[in-house]
Amino acid sequence: MIRLKTIHASRFLTERPGSFLFVFCLIGMVVSAYVSLHLFWADSEMWPQAAARNLWNRDSNQDFFIKPIFNLLLWLFYKIAIWRDQFPLDIARIFMSFNLAVILVLVFRIIRRISQSELLAIIGVLFLLTTITILEQGTRVRSDMLVCTLNLITL
């Protein structure tokens, strides 16, 4: 006879809050990727994506060294989109959804390291998810979200 062990939500949170965060971020990434693919495209997202295809073109008079990592990623997304016959902004938005999940995990680790409490870190991540920047701009193709990730990695 097989017995299944049931775990109550409160016990799951107190015994394994890191596992809860992983599942929460995984579900959040899937939901944000789905939502980001159905949002309208802002012109601030479309212009850098269209300009990035001219990254290695010597005839282009655009300066790509202002945001080199962001422009290199957009150029890479453009090449992947051409190879897969998809719209480049869709691939970039899926990457930015993954970037949002990385931001949440990094914030969780920083709060946990400072406070020594995983429950407080989960509450901090939940508060972060309710900010207007994350709700409106979290999955948009913007360089500031990528810079936020790089800054959090250095902490």
Side-chain angles (χ1 to χ4, degrees), residues 13 15 25 47 55 58 76 88 104 112 125:
L13 275 175
E15 289 180 3
C25 282
W47 179 82
L55 183 62
R58 292 183 185 180
L76 182 65
L104 296 177
R112 185 180 64 186
V125 168

Side-chain angles (χ1 to χ4, degrees), residues 1 3 35 48 60 88 99 116 131 133:
M1 183 173 174
R3 288 185 61 194
V35 168
S60 176
N99 184 48
Q116 302 295 324
T131 61
T133 303

Side-chain angles (χ1 to χ4, degrees), residues 67 70 96 99 103 142-153:
K67 305 178 211 175
F70 183 64
M96 295 309 282
N99 184 48
I103 288 173
R142 299 179 51 87
S143 61
D144 51 353
M145 296 305 287
L146 187 62
V147 169
C148 180
T149 304
L150 296 176
N151 285 335
L152 288 171
I153 288 172

Side-chain angles (χ1 to χ4, degrees), residues 35-99:
V35 168
S36 72
L37 292 176
H38 292 84
L39 288 176
F40 68 93
W41 294 321
D43 59 343
S44 64
E45 295 176 285
M46 295 175 86
W47 179 82
Q49 184 68 54
R53 67 181 175 191
N54 296 324
L55 183 62
W56 304 112
N57 187 359
R58 292 183 185 180
D59 296 334
S60 176
N61 60 357
Q62 298 169 351
D63 189 11
F64 293 103
F65 299 106
I66 296 172
K67 305 178 211 175
I69 296 172
F70 183 64
N71 285 319
L72 187 64
L73 278 174
L74 289 179
W75 176 80
L76 182 65
F77 298 148
Y78 175 74
K79 290 299 182 183
I80 291 171
I82 295 300
W83 175 62
R84 295 200 31 113
D85 195 27
Q86 291 180 332
F87 192 62
L89 202 54
D90 291 340
I91 294 173
R93 280 204 173 167
I94 290 172
F95 175 79
M96 295 309 282
S97 298
F98 174 73
N99 184 48

Side-chain angles (χ1 to χ4, degrees), residues 107-124:
V107 167
F108 173 80
R109 287 184 163 190
I110 290 170
I111 294 174
R112 185 180 64 186
R113 188 175 1 144
I114 291 172
S115 68
Q116 302 295 324
S117 169
E118 291 188 353
L119 188 59
L120 189 62
I122 290 173
I123 292 170

